[in-house]
Amino acid sequence: MYNEKVKFSLWCDFLERDFIDGEFNELIKNGTINGATSNPSIFKNAFLNSPAYAEAKEEFKKKEPKKLYEILATQDIRSAAESLLKNFINDDDGFVSIEVDPNLSNKAEATFKEGKHLYGAIGMPNVMIKVPATKDGYEAMSELIRKGINVNATLIFSPEQTKKCLEAFEEGIAGFKRYFPKANLPKAVISIFVSRFDRMLDEKMASAGLPKAKVGIINAMKCYNIIKEANLSFVKPLFASTGVKGDELAKDYYVSELLFENCINTAPLDTIKAFIKTENLPKTPLTNEQIDEFFEKVKNAGIDMKKVYKKLLDDGLEQFIIAFDDIIKALKKG
């Protein structure tokens, strides 16, 4: 754990075969990271651009494209999970996430079945199944938790999504406890996306005389407070989309500004390297009253946060679907 005193964890939002076999293990060994996340965009970059997959692609070239994708992805996730297993055993996170096919985000049963299948295919206890926070996603999350499968609820932008994830997890864990009263509880994280708000809204904020690069941070605080108040021992807030594009902000801005008690930040490799070079002190989130005051000013600037939340979720889903479909098309071509 990066900061044991406040239970702050740093996870790596990047996976690629050569990296997993090398630098990834060093980052775990020296205590910099204790978890990892993946998504279709990360795998697209890895599978289509890295020479590390040539041998596996050749070996399994007769497989259907989605099956080949699954083989490549589960091999990487299994390797990462093995590297993180000691952390997991020591109750120091140690999880790695794999996302279900984002094309299934409006199909609860299909999402659940694929999540269960992937978890079984990988065969490691420290894997989290990543499920987009949609109406059908909540149902799938609940059922996965009920079956004892760890869940990473992803693409959370709004406080409402946060609350619905918590409800799904509570429902799922109640079912799990009925069947397995003495078993260790499965774990869950709620992945709150941060930087995309500011890339979308900074110009409008500045034109209204409001500070830039604050909507994502303060919205994340609101979601964090909701999770903390729910006090579910098996659920942690995870801040995602924490990389910085451009030179206006420090590379580690979305990590250092969200260094809160009992939470996780998953960040790109360059962000992690920037963060560990500087001294970073724990921070305290704003109160709910202060957060509400801020968003009242945002509202008065003509920004409709409900529309923003919907736009970011729709765009996020579309980006993951495009990346996933691009992988399948490329693997089909060989």
Side-chain angles (χ1 to χ4, degrees), residues 266-285:
T266 188
L269 199 53
D270 62 340
T271 302
I272 290 171
K273 289 179 178 179
F275 177 74
I276 62 178
K277 284 180 183 175
T278 56
E279 183 182 3
N280 291 284
L281 299 174
K283 290 185 167 58
T284 302

Side-chain angles (χ1 to χ4, degrees), residues 25 33 39 64 77 80 99 130 135 141 147 175 185 189 192 218 258 278 280 300-301 306 314 320:
N25 287 292
I33 64 170
N39 61 48
E64 290 295 319
I77 296 295
E99 188 158 344
K130 220 171 177 185
K135 182 180 177 182
M141 291 174 203
K147 297 295 184 184
L185 300 182
V189 296
I192 305 152
I218 296 177
L258 294 167
T278 56
N280 291 284
N300 292 338
K306 284 188 178 180
D314 290 346
F320 282 166

Side-chain angles (χ1 to χ4, degrees), residues 154-162 190-206 210-224 238-245 249 253-254 258 291 294-295 298 303-316 319:
T154 191
L155 289 174
I156 282 79
F157 296 97
S158 72
E160 188 63 27
Q161 283 178 292
T162 303
I190 296 177
S191 291
I192 305 152
F193 279 50
V194 187
S195 65
R196 297 183 189 193
F197 284 94
D198 299 328
R199 289 198 290 274
M200 180 180 178
L201 298 175
D202 268 358
E203 191 176 321
K204 194 159 189 178
M205 290 286 287
L210 295 173
K212 295 165 70 173
K214 285 295 180 186
V215 175
I217 294 289
I218 296 177
N219 184 73
M221 289 178 181
K222 187 170 181 68
C223 296
Y224 171 90
L238 181 152
F239 300 118
S241 179
T242 54
V244 168
K245 294 183 180 179
L249 300 171
Y253 174 75
Y254 291 106
L258 294 167
I291 291 168
F294 173 81
F295 279 109
V298 171
I303 297 172
D304 185 335
M305 287 305 296
K306 284 188 178 180
K307 289 181 180 177
V308 170
Y309 293 141
K310 185 179 187 307
K311 170 72 172 162
L312 288 172
L313 176 58
D314 290 346
D315 287 354
Q319 288 164 16

